[in-house]
């Protein structure tokens, strides 16, 4: 059962071959048996899951099931879940139980999906390895002692290890695509504003976007069907019709124009990585696509601009954690200032503090123009590069990450090396574009992801391209440990 995709499980539920209660038991058993190895979950909600599964089975009997009714899944632990603690991987929110659902949460709930728990993540989604979680690091099911990527490493590891068939995730600079690549699954970050951010704990609000982690593009399309759409509770969500994302999956790719940014295919890219990605692109040529070189002239500025803008926004967003409103409060504060300072000193981990310091500095009077404003101007240039490129091509392809899963501890003491993990993914967040990572090969037994970037609101086309690739390759079917 656990090897089936969401689409297959959905059919199995529809035909009565299995019940949601049975499925839920099955996946909960797997989590219980295997997750001590991966630490992909922070919270497992066994009781609520079984209750929701019973409700789902009843709903199906009444004849008003959706394709998601009864399907088990997990939420990244930054989506607020009414009555279920939501930690964001931080001591600051270790015991925070939200009194409301995020829109992502309520949409899956309304569809009848069964949440099994909340997945591990880098603290406040800041990181690329899921090592900065207060709840301990997550291990990549593909290699003991290797990181699953981050920040959505718990969701990626859980899907890769078949502990759940799908999970939610979020992507501010690569946190869906990079862990999807490192864990050999399919990840989609939609256009900024396509999915509501309401109730998704904020890191950098102009970059954060929720998305999907599944094994196949079809499952991702099914999930986006549930999640996409305008939300009056999020003023940055976009009021635009939601297509059926599964409708165009079977379109042939003949004539699809693929662009390869010369700034991404440089000598710095290892030979094995380059070969793997080029082999994947060759599959697209066989499917009728044409390939040309393109240029994103400001690509080399993306990391620098991001590491001003994202910390600036995080320093503002995280100012709400002050010990007064909710979350952690230090013991016996002697006065108000002591409460603020000790609460934040004790409640946040070192990467979060580093970002708050950098962001506060960049926003301070006297430095604002030199850093923040400058970074925003660079951001506009990066966006313009993409707009120009999409005048010539339909989809831009590159590796998702510079290398396969690295060893735990290898980069955690060197922030800049860790930041470079997102060299191929960050510009799309700065531009607000949709992008995916699909499994495209193995290097020494570890998964490699192919990144595909599309024009604004071209999720259907990206999913179509990913689905067609998955019809002629089987990388997405490989399981850790063969
Ligand atoms: N790794 C990047 C960072 O640390 C991106 C994280 C994310 O997308 N949430 O900021």
């Amino acid at each position: 059962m656990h090897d089936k995709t969401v689409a297959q499980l959905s059919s199995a539920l529809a035909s009565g071959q299995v019940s949601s209660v049975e499925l839920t038991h099955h996946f909960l058993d797997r989590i219980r048996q295997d997750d001590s190895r991966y630490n992909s979950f922070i919270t497992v909600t066994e009781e609520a899951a079984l209750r929701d599964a019973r409700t789902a089975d009843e709903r199906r009997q009444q004849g008003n099931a959706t394709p998601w009714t009864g399907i088990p899944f997990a939420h990244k632990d930054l989506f607020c879940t009414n009555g279920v603690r939501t930690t964001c991987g931080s001591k600051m929110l270790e015991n925070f139980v939200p009194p409301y659902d995020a829109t992502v949460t309520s949409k899956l709930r309304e569809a009848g999906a069964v949440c099994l728990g909340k997945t591990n993540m880098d603290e406040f989604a800041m990181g690329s390895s899921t090592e900065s979680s207060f709840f301990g690091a997550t291990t990549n099911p593909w290699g003991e002692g290797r990181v699953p990527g981050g920040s959505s490493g718990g969701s990626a590891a859980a899907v890769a290890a078949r502990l759940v068939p799908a999970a939610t995730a979020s992507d501010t600079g690569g946190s869906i695509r990079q862990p999807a690549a490192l864990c050999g699954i399919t990840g989609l970050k939609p256009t900024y504003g396509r999915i509501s951010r309401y109730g998704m704990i904020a890191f950098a609000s102009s970059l954060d976007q929720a998305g999907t982690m599944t094994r196949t593009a079809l499952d991702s399309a099914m999930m986006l069907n549930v999640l996409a759409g305008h939300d009056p509770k999020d003023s940055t969500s976009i009021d635009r019709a939601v297509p059926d994302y599964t409708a165009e999956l079977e379109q042939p790719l003949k004539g699809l124009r693929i662009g390869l940014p010369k700034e991404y295919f440089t000598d710095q890219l290892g030979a094995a990585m380059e070969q793997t990605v080029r082999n994947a692109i060759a599959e697209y040529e066989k499917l009728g696509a044409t390939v040309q070189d393109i240029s994103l002239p400001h690509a080399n500025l993306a990391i620098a601009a991001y590491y001003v803008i994202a910390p600036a926004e995080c320093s503002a967003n995280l100012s709400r954690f002050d010990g007064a409103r909710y979350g952690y409060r230090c013991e016996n504060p002697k006065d108000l200032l002591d409460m603020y300072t000790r609460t934040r000193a004790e409640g946040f981990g070192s990467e979060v503090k580093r970002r708050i310091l950098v962001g506060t500095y960049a926003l301070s009077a006297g430095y604002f123009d030199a850093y923040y404003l400058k970074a925003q101007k660079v951001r506009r240039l990066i966006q313009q590069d993409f707009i120009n490129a999409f005048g010539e091509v339909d989809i831009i392809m590159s590796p998702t990450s510079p290398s396969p899963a690295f060893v735990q501890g290898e980069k955690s003491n060197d922030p800049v090396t860790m930041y470079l993990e997102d060299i191929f993914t960050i510009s799309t967040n700065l531009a607000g574009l949709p992008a995916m990572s699909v499994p495209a090969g193995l290097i020494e037994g570890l998964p490699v992801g192919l990144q595909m970037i599309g024009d604004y609101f071209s999720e259907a086309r990206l999913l179509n391209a990913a689905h067609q690739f998955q019809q002629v390759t089987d990388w997405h079917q490989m399981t850790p440990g063969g």
Side-chain angles (χ1 to χ4, degrees), residues 125-128 151 171-175 203 306-307 355 422:
M126 297 170 197
S128 299
S151 65
D171 192 311
T172 305
S175 279
F203 161 12
Y306 174 91
Y307 278 100
R355 308 264 180 130
D422 294 315

Side-chain angles (χ1 to χ4, degrees), residues 452-473:
M452 305 193 289
I453 306 168
D455 205 349
Y456 296 102
F457 299 102
S458 66
E459 287 82 0
R461 178 179 253 163
L462 287 176
L463 288 160
N464 165 226
H467 180 72
Q468 290 304 310
F469 182 72
Q470 293 181 341
Q471 301 313 297
V472 294
T473 59

Side-chain angles (χ1 to χ4, degrees), residues 122 128-132 137-140 143-149 405-415 417-418:
D122 280 301
S128 299
S129 65
T130 316
E131 293 171 287
S132 75
T138 295
T139 297
N140 191 324
E144 221 187 314
R146 293 199 180 257
V147 304
F406 49 94
V407 172
Q408 284 169 330
E410 189 181 309
K411 301 189 182 184
S412 44
N413 292 323
D414 183 353
T417 315
M418 189 73 92

Side-chain angles (χ1 to χ4, degrees), residues 1 27 48 58-59 153 170 173 223 272 299 345 362 393 421-422 460 473 480:
M1 269 301 156
F27 283 104
E58 281 160 26
R59 177 168 169 183
S170 70
M223 201 164 183
V393 299
E421 261 302 292
D422 294 315
T473 59

